[in-house]
Amino acid sequence: MNGFPILSLMLAVPLVAGLGCLAVSAKTARTLALAATLINFALGVVLWLNFDIGGAQWQFQQSKQVFAGFDWKLGIDGIALVLIELSVFLMPICILASHAIDKRVGEYMAAFLLMETLMIGVFAAQDLFLFYIFFEAGLIPMYLIIGVWGGAERIYASYKFFLYTLLGSVLMLIAMIWMAQEAGTTDIPTLMAYDFPAAAQKWLWLAFFASFAVKMPMWPVHTWLPDAHVQAPTAGSVILAGVLLKMGGYGFIRFSLPMFPAASGTFAWLVFALSMVAVVYTSLVALVQEDMKKLIAYSSVAHMAIVTAGMFAFNTQGLEGSIMVMLSHGLVSGALFLCVGVIYDRLHTREISRYGGLSINMPKYALFFMLFTMASVGLPGTSGFVGEFLSLAGAYQASSWLAFVTGTGVILGAGYMLYLYRRIAFGEQNNADAAAMPDLNAREWAMLAPIAAAVLWMGVYPESFLAPIRDDVRFIEARLAATRPAGDAQLQLGVPKPMDELAPHGGAH
C-alpha cells in the first residue's frame, strides 16, 4: 500500500457518488449510495488489513501543498483507524435504514455521502486548518438532514444543533491561528510534540474545550442533542450518535491532551466535575422519558461522560477505555436507534406506552433489542463491558470518588434501559395495532445482524481493537508525564497523586 492514496480515494468515492445522486432518479440514487458506501467499507477493510500494528505511528501519509499556508495532508494512527472503520461500517446500514425517505431522495443520499467524506476527513486530516474545514463542514449535511427530512419540530432542532456546535468552534479557529503563528507550522503530528508556553496552554485548552465539549456533548451544553435526535430521521440519529459525537472525544485525544498537557492537568478537575454531574443527572432524566429516542439520547450524554472521565484520568486504562467506550457506543446507540426506527416505521409513534409484549409477535426483533440493551448496560461478553470497565478502572486510579460517582451510571443505566426493554418487549399486549406488527424483514436483518456481530466480537476479543491504539495511547501518556516535574502532584477532586501513579505502565490485554 506504500504510495497508494487510499485515504484520498476514500474521501473521493462518496463525494463523487453524492454528486451522481443529484442527477439520477430516486431508485437509482438509493442504489448508487449503497454501492458507494459498500465500496468505502471494502476500502476500510483494506486499510485495516494493511495497517502495521507496532510500526510507524503515522501511516498511509500523503501531502501536497494546495497554496501557501495550506497543505492537503492526510495520514492516520491507530486511533484514527478505528474511528474511520466505525464510520465506513455504519454508513451502508444508514442507507438501508433510509427506505422511508420518499421526498427529495437524491438530495438526501447526497447529504449522507457528503457527510461520510467529511467524517473520514476529520479523522484523516494532518493539517490544522484542513481538520477545521472537515470538522465544521460536517455540520452542514446533518443540519440539512434534520431540517429537511426531520419531524414536526425539525426547524427548531436543526437551528439549535447548528448554532450550538458552530459557536463553540469560533474560539477554536482563533486558537488555531495563534498556534500556527507560534509554532510556525500547521502540521498536526508536529504540533502534538510541540511545547507551547504554559500560560498560553490554558487559553488554548479552553478555546478547544468550548468546541469539543459541545460536540461530545458534555453537560450543560448537551441540550441540543435530545432535540436533534427526536427530530432527525432514523439514519440521521444513527450517524449522529454513532460518529458525529465521537468527533469531540477524538478532538480531546488529538489536540487537548498531547498539545496542551499542562493545561489538561490543570483543568482535569473541571472535566471530572462535569462528567460526574452528567452521569447522574442525565441518567435520572432518561429514567422518566416517555419518548424512546429521548431516552437513548440522554443515555448518550451519560456514556460520553464516562469517556471524558476515563480520558482525563491520564493513565493507560482510562485512555484505552475511553476509546473503547466511544467505539462501543457508536455501535450500540446506533443499533438502538435502528430498533426504534423498526417499530416506528410500523406504528409511527415513539411513545413507549403504545407498545408492549412485542416479544410475542416480534421475537427476532426482541432478541436483537435485548442484545443491544445488554450491551448498553455493559454486560460482560458485549462491547459495552470492555470500555466501561477500563474507563472506571482508570478513573479509580485518579480518584476513588470519581470512580464511585461515574460508576453509578452503570447502575442507573441498567435501570432505565431494562425498564425501557420491559415496557417494549414484555407485558400484556393492550394495543391491537402493536400486537399485529410483523417481525423483522430481510432488510432489517441486514441492518441489525452486522452490528450484533461487531458488538459480540468487541466484547469477546477486545484485543483486536486495543492493539492498534496501544502505542498511540502510550505516546499521549508520555506527553502528559513529560510536562510534570519529578515528584509533582496533581490534585484531582481532593485526591493528590503523583503523575507516575496516574500513568501506570502496561496496557489492558
Side-chain angles (χ1 to χ4, degrees):
M1 295 298 295
N2 247 353
F4 182 72
I6 187 170
L7 293 174
S8 289
L9 183 60
M10 293 179 73
L11 293 172
V13 167
L15 186 62
V16 172
L19 293 173
C21 286
L22 297 174
V24 296
S25 67
K27 184 178 180 180
T28 307
R30 292 182 193 276
T31 305
L32 181 59
L34 182 60
T37 53
L38 288 173
I39 290 170
N40 245 21
F41 174 68
L43 290 171
V45 172
V46 172
L47 197 70
W48 179 278
L49 294 176
N50 285 274
F51 187 83
D52 182 16
I53 297 174
Q57 181 181 8
W58 301 101
Q59 301 180 31
F60 306 104
Q61 287 182 295
Q62 55 185 108
S63 177
K64 184 174 179 63
Q65 188 176 60
V66 180
F67 51 81
F70 182 78
D71 294 336
W72 178 263
K73 283 185 181 177
L74 302 176
I76 60 170
D77 62 355
I79 298 170
L81 171 72
V82 294
L83 290 169
I84 287 175
E85 298 299 333
L86 176 65
S87 304
V88 298
F89 176 75
L90 288 177
M91 280 305 296
I93 296 170
C94 288
I95 300 302
L96 285 175
S98 302
H99 74 290
I101 301 297
D102 55 7
K103 63 175 183 179
R104 306 177 72 171
V105 176
E107 290 94 329
Y108 176 88
M109 296 299 168
F112 258 94
L113 291 168
L114 173 61
M115 191 156 55
E116 181 174 17
T117 291
L118 298 173
M119 290 187 307
I120 295 171
V122 166
F123 303 130
Q126 288 200 315
D127 180 85
L128 204 59
F129 295 115
L130 184 62
F131 168 85
Y132 184 82
I133 291 170
F134 283 129
F135 189 81
E136 288 307 302
L139 297 175
I140 299 170
M142 181 52 72
Y143 168 78
L144 294 174
I145 288 167
I146 298 172
V148 177
W149 293 278
E153 301 293 326
R154 60 186 181 275
I155 303 301
Y156 167 77
S158 60
Y159 272 106
K160 190 173 183 180
F161 160 76
F162 191 85
L163 291 175
Y164 263 71
T165 49
L166 178 65
L167 289 175
S169 299
V170 174
L171 294 174
M172 184 173 73
L173 177 61
I174 296 171
M176 284 180 169
I177 294 171
W178 188 91
M179 289 165 62
Q181 293 177 335
E182 166 71 15
T185 181
T186 58
D187 182 62
I188 290 175
T190 302
L191 291 170
M192 287 173 67
Y194 187 85
D195 294 321
F196 290 99
Q201 278 193 34
K202 294 181 180 179
W203 294 106
L204 295 171
W205 190 94
L206 289 170
F208 277 79
F209 181 75
S211 177
F212 299 149
V214 173
K215 207 84 165 184
M216 285 288 286
M218 296 178 68
W219 182 89
V221 288
H222 69 285
T223 57
W224 62 269
L225 184 66
D227 292 321
H229 272 310
V230 167
Q231 299 305 321
T234 298
S237 290
V238 172
I239 211 65
L240 176 59
V243 182
L244 294 186
L245 299 190
K246 310 306 176 286
M247 291 182 182
Y250 177 76
F252 281 129
I253 289 175
R254 181 64 74 235
F255 296 91
S256 302
L257 295 180
M259 294 186 190
F260 322 124
S264 294
T266 301
F267 290 111
W269 67 269
L270 173 63
V271 176
F272 290 160
L274 295 179
S275 299
M276 289 190 292
V277 173
V279 166
V280 177
Y281 171 74
T282 56
S283 294
L284 292 174
V285 173
L287 269 170
V288 299
Q289 294 305 312
E290 291 300 324
D291 184 299
M292 287 184 282
K293 267 195 169 185
K294 269 198 174 180
L295 188 153
I296 299 168
Y298 279 110
S299 79
S300 294
V301 181
H303 279 94
M304 290 300 100
I306 294 176
V307 169
T308 49
M311 197 177 288
F312 279 81
F314 302 155
N315 54 54
T316 302
Q317 288 79 11
L319 286 164
E320 289 183 350
S322 65
I323 297 168
M324 291 294 283
V325 172
M326 286 198 292
L327 292 176
S328 173
H329 179 264
L331 295 170
V332 174
S333 66
L336 288 171
F337 280 118
L338 288 173
C339 288
V340 173
V342 165
I343 54 178
Y344 178 81
D345 288 344
R346 288 159 169 74
L347 210 57
H348 300 291
T349 178
R350 293 183 301 270
E351 192 177 342
I352 299 171
S353 60
R354 290 285 284 111
Y355 298 94
L358 293 188
S359 57
I360 298 171
N361 57 306
M362 301 180 69
K364 298 181 181 68
Y365 169 82
L367 181 63
F368 276 117
F369 196 8
M370 181 183 69
L371 171 63
F372 300 132
T373 297
M374 294 303 173
S376 179
V377 168
L379 183 74
T382 67
S383 59
F385 172 77
V386 180
E388 289 185 7
F389 179 83
L390 285 171
S391 291
L392 293 175
Y396 180 76
Q397 294 177 54
S399 164
S400 54
W401 276 109
L402 173 66
F404 173 75
V405 176
T406 52
T408 61
V410 178
I411 301 167
L412 292 170
Y416 59 72
M417 288 306 301
L418 293 176
Y419 185 41
L420 169 67
Y421 187 77
R422 184 187 70 80
R423 288 182 288 172
I424 296 294
F426 297 136
E428 294 184 8
Q429 291 189 320
N430 297 318
N431 299 301
D433 46 2
M437 295 193 305
D439 209 347
L440 299 177
N441 57 36
R443 179 187 59 82
E444 291 159 347
W445 264 94
M447 290 172 0
L448 297 175
I451 303 182
V455 165
L456 292 173
W457 175 22
M458 187 181 292
V460 173
Y461 189 60
E463 175 63 14
S464 54
F465 298 89
L466 287 167
I469 67 174
R470 187 163 288 125
D471 288 346
D472 305 304
V473 166
R474 287 173 181 159
F475 168 79
I476 295 169
E477 279 189 277
R479 285 288 294 161
L480 291 164
T483 62
R484 299 213 169 260
D488 188 21
Q490 181 182 32
L491 187 65
Q492 294 182 357
L493 303 179
V495 183
K497 292 200 173 190
M499 179 54 74
D500 58 357
E501 291 181 22
L502 287 175
H505 297 289
H509 294 280

